[in-house]
Amino acid sequence: PADPFAFVLAGLGSLTFWQPSLAVVLLWIAALPLAALGAWWAAAGLVQRRGPAAAVAVVVALAPAVTVALLDGRLPALVALLALPWLVASAARAPRSWSATAVAGLLVAVIAASSPSLLIALAVVWIAWMAATPRRIGRLLTLAVPTAALFAPLVVAQLQRGTPLGLLADPGLPAQPAETAPTGLLLGWPDLALVLEPVTALLPAGTEPTVLAVALAVLVAPLPLLALLGLAQRSARRVVLPFVMAGAGLALAVLVSGIAVVAADGTAIRIDTAPALGLYWLGLALAAGVALDGLRRAGTIPGLVAVLGAALAVSPALIAAVAGGTVVHPAPDRTLPAIVAADAVADERIGTLVLTPLEGGDALAARVERGAGSMLIDARSYPVTVGAALAGPEQEAPADDASALIAELAANLAVRSGLDVGPLLDEADVRFVLLADRSRATGAQTPPAAAAGVAAALDSTAQLVAVGDTDAGRLWRVVADDEARAAIAARPATAWAVLVGQLGILALTLLLAVPTGYRPRRVRAEEGTIDDPATTFAEDEDD
């Protein structure tokens, strides 16, 4: 089954349908303004003055989680972080507006699809919300409909296989997040090294990292102090929800920081904590905004201090990124050799078995790529959740038929087993075998003896003909009869029915999200107040 994030990618790529990848580039450019705008709308429902709303917008845009997602190239985490403030703005009006309810339901689906682990915190808030407003339970239950529709196929597949924890896997290509530290989690940093290493390089040798961590804590301290100040004001009830958000985000980050539900290339991949820490930071920023709003003019200086502290805290990471210290760069046009891409013009479902010797030389990673190479829309979390990350050291992890077939084929190709691999190649519909050069992709070195042993075994396989060295590694062509090769199974009718049902639910929700009433003109009660930009309907109007 496809990940729900595939729907998010489809919607994002449709914005620039003539070149879908351009939408990702534009999102990276507009990420900070979008984060600030979403935070402004979220704060507008809690504050009355422009200054506190602007302070919240800047602080959220400079959130460490957003910075790390941008610098590490984590698209799903970035989408979830950008959607969180908009969810807060729409959820505030959901109890009295069906349109806002539909918008909130769509945003929950986007956030859950981009960061499934974040759904745990959202579910806790959702249940508490229904308990606090029992008269609106029927309406609030509909918030889960789009998310349930997107996740249903994956939930069924993971439960049938006995790997329910696989539902928490981050979508997209498996990528190991940075090691998390308690200090980093408390300060809202998924990767504390991004901010400490650039500063350390400028300081004299022998500077204690603890000193830098304390300095970073001093810069961040005004934000939680202002949030706590909101509890001592008459508007304390308005900071309850932000504090619940902050607490849920921090607790979730601590919970998932040590959990690995994905295994890729022999390595257990931990869950990314950036979305959870983004929720934590957003809650603190909204609570601080309420406190600044209660202070009136006296809150100008504290607000400037909080904004300046947040800017100084992330500036080392941003400056290092501008200087070329980021992993984000233009991707190659293809991930497979040119000869494979040329054949893929005639058959875009052509299969290539990619074998990658792992570090140490005693293990081999194997995957099948279709066409000219893998694309982000083709990424699936279901296959990569089959591995040691889900099983104990003495427990064998479950495997599906496709993974077992690839494992059997790779094992018999990597050594001289004497088995006729022709039927396995036909069943997997593989036409090329690539022995990838791991050092070109990751910089890690594989012992030459290991690669030479696999290459010798492939050379001795009767069904393979060596093509030669390419820019991606050494390539062999399968000489099996094309007519005997098994065709890729057609998509069953039930899969089409599920897809039509999912699209139908999303279309109906989107139609319901369109406002049907006019926006009333609001009159400022006093100079310095703001028109709530998130208000579409009057408070007594139920559309």
Side-chain angles (χ1 to χ4, degrees):
D3 289 332
F5 189 65
F7 286 91
V8 179
L9 284 177
L12 185 63
S14 298
L15 298 178
T16 56
F17 58 89
W18 62 93
Q19 188 179 355
S21 296
L22 178 61
V24 178
V25 179
L26 296 178
L27 181 65
W28 240 252
I29 296 174
L32 296 183
L34 287 176
L37 181 60
W40 170 274
W41 279 62
L46 297 173
V47 303
Q48 296 180 335
R49 302 172 65 246
R50 293 187 180 91
V56 172
V58 175
V59 169
V60 172
L62 297 175
V66 175
T67 301
V68 172
L70 284 172
L71 300 186
D72 283 354
R74 297 185 178 275
L75 175 61
L78 182 63
V79 172
L81 292 170
L82 295 181
L84 275 174
W86 298 97
L87 174 61
V88 174
S90 59
R93 288 144 186 86
R96 63 176 185 268
S97 169
W98 276 109
S99 176
T101 303
V103 172
L106 289 174
L107 289 172
V108 170
V110 169
I111 294 171
S114 304
S115 177
S117 61
L118 200 55
L119 189 58
I120 299 175
L122 296 181
V124 172
V125 177
W126 177 56
I127 294 173
W129 191 9
M130 289 190 296
T133 56
R135 295 178 54 188
R136 301 294 186 181
I137 287 182
R139 174 178 294 190
L140 296 180
L141 282 173
T142 61
L143 290 174
V145 173
T147 303
L150 295 188
F151 274 86
L154 188 60
V155 170
V156 172
Q158 295 283 19
L159 292 181
Q160 287 180 342
R161 193 178 59 180
T163 54
L165 287 180
L167 294 170
L168 299 178
D170 293 318
L173 300 177
Q176 186 74 278
E179 289 284 350
T180 56
T183 303
L185 294 178
L186 192 60
L187 297 179
W189 278 93
D191 185 2
L192 202 55
L194 281 179
V195 65
L196 295 184
E197 288 181 355
V199 178
T200 303
L202 300 176
L203 296 178
T207 303
E208 288 292 334
T210 306
V211 176
L212 299 180
V214 171
L216 182 63
V218 171
L219 294 176
V220 176
L223 186 63
L225 291 178
L226 281 173
L228 291 174
L229 181 61
L231 294 174
Q233 297 177 349
R234 290 182 300 175
S235 57
R237 62 182 182 85
R238 286 190 288 167
V239 302
V240 173
L241 177 60
F243 266 105
V244 171
M245 293 167 50
L250 182 59
L252 180 63
V254 174
L255 175 65
V256 304
S257 59
I259 297 179
V261 295
V262 166
D265 292 343
T267 303
I269 307 297
R270 298 184 305 276
I271 296 177
D272 189 8
T273 59
L277 291 178
L279 179 63
Y280 165 57
W281 190 270
L282 176 62
L284 290 180
L286 291 176
V290 174
L292 292 175
D293 192 52
L295 292 175
R296 298 294 177 177
R297 295 185 181 277
T300 302
I301 295 179
L304 290 176
V305 171
V307 171
L308 183 60
L312 291 176
V314 301
S315 58
L318 295 178
I319 293 174
V322 173
T326 175
V327 299
V328 178
H329 58 81
D333 295 334
R334 50 183 170 78
T335 58
L336 294 177
I339 188 173
V340 178
D343 282 9
V345 174
D347 183 5
E348 60 183 20
R349 293 299 299 170
I350 185 174
T352 301
L353 177 65
V354 182
L355 304 176
T356 307
L358 301 182
E359 190 173 0
D362 57 351
L364 191 73
R367 68 182 187 275
V368 174
E369 294 191 11
R370 300 291 173 186
S374 60
M375 295 184 292
L376 187 58
I377 195 69
D378 296 324
R380 301 285 189 273
S381 64
Y382 182 82
V384 295
T385 52
V386 182
L390 291 179
E394 299 179 356
Q395 178 185 0
E396 182 179 356
D400 59 356
D401 294 339
S403 299
L405 173 62
I406 295 174
E408 183 181 3
L409 178 58
N412 285 281
L413 286 174
V415 296
R416 296 183 178 91
S417 64
L419 178 70
D420 182 12
V421 295
L424 295 177
L425 291 168
D426 293 340
E427 185 177 355
D429 196 25
V430 170
R431 303 189 190 180
F432 290 94
V433 177
L434 175 67
L435 182 59
D437 186 352
R438 188 166 182 260
S439 62
R440 297 182 183 181
T442 63
Q445 297 295 327
T446 302
V454 176
L458 293 173
D459 284 333
S460 65
T461 303
Q463 290 83 1
L464 301 180
V465 173
V467 176
D469 293 329
T470 68
D471 55 350
R474 193 169 182 183
L475 185 67
W476 287 262
R477 182 190 293 272
V478 178
V479 296
D481 185 4
D482 288 345
E483 295 181 359
R485 180 177 288 111
I488 297 178
R491 187 185 297 270
T494 53
W496 285 111
V498 170
L499 180 60
V500 170
Q502 291 174 317
L503 293 176
I505 292 175
L506 292 179
L508 290 175
T509 308
L510 184 61
L511 182 62
L512 184 61
V514 177
T516 56
Y518 65 91
R519 177 180 176 178
R521 183 182 300 273
R522 300 186 63 190
V523 180
R524 291 187 177 91
E526 58 176 303
E527 187 64 26
T529 62
I530 63 171
D531 289 329
D532 186 350
T535 300
T536 303
F537 301 93
E539 292 190 3
D540 58 348
E541 179 181 357
D542 192 333
D543 63 318

